[in-house]
Amino acid sequence: MFSLAGVPSVIMFVGMLFMPETPRWLIYHKKPQKAKRSLAVTSEEPSLFYAPSKVASICLKRNVYLAALMLFPVIGGFLLGYHFGVVTGAMLLIDDQFNLSHFWHEFIVSSTFASAAIVSNIGILIADIFGRKRALLLTAIFF
């Protein structure tokens, strides 16, 4: 059962391999050509010179690609919720073992949320330094 918890992380890791880096990070690191390609994948409008059927095809491919990319942050949210559930479930055993007061029970559960808020801010710095793609790959490995 424990190994099933790793399945979403593996899916997220594989998906992140295909995710483009953010144009902002690429421009900051002096890679304007890669930034243009990244923008073209996610937000470029098809040329008016294309035939209408080609425009529809381009838009459909881009929308499917973007929908697939949005799946991976959803998996990340699922993993976070799963870990909160594990901590909350473990509190039943911890409560009995250590005879915790209501204050300490609430403190331990809420500390998981507080640590997630703090670490997410550290994640922003890591993404700024190394790029979103590398930061999310690292996250998939650690989860």
Side-chain angles (χ1 to χ4, degrees):
M1 185 67 171
F2 180 71
S3 61
L4 288 177
V7 172
S9 293
V10 171
I11 294 170
M12 186 172 155
F13 181 84
V14 171
M16 290 300 127
L17 294 175
F18 299 101
M19 181 177 271
E21 194 55 73
T22 60
R24 177 187 164 278
W25 186 83
L26 291 168
I27 288 171
Y28 182 76
H29 289 279
K30 298 177 177 43
K31 299 177 183 178
Q33 295 304 327
K34 286 185 179 182
K36 281 183 183 179
R37 282 195 302 260
S38 179
L39 275 173
V41 167
T42 57
S43 62
E44 180 187 17
E45 290 295 320
S47 172
L48 295 176
F49 297 107
Y50 289 139
S53 61
K54 184 160 175 117
V55 170
S57 171
I58 291 169
C59 289
L60 179 63
K61 285 179 187 176
R62 186 171 298 126
N63 288 343
V64 168
Y65 180 74
L66 291 175
L69 286 181
M70 292 308 298
L71 176 67
F72 302 112
V74 168
I75 291 173
F78 168 76
L79 287 171
L80 184 64
Y82 176 80
H83 291 299
F84 285 150
V86 168
V87 169
T88 304
M91 285 307 299
L92 298 172
L93 299 173
I94 293 171
D95 236 359
D96 292 341
Q97 186 72 25
F98 296 104
N99 295 321
L100 297 175
S101 68
H102 289 294
F103 170 80
W104 284 108
H105 181 94
E106 292 169 5
F107 179 79
I108 291 170
V109 172
S110 64
S111 68
T112 59
F113 291 101
S115 63
I118 292 167
V119 171
S120 66
N121 288 321
I122 294 170
I124 293 169
L125 295 174
I126 291 171
D128 257 357
I129 294 168
F130 299 108
R132 171 187 61 184
K133 187 174 182 176
R134 289 184 189 119
L136 289 173
L137 285 170
L138 189 65
T139 300
I141 290 169
F142 281 125
F143 263 111

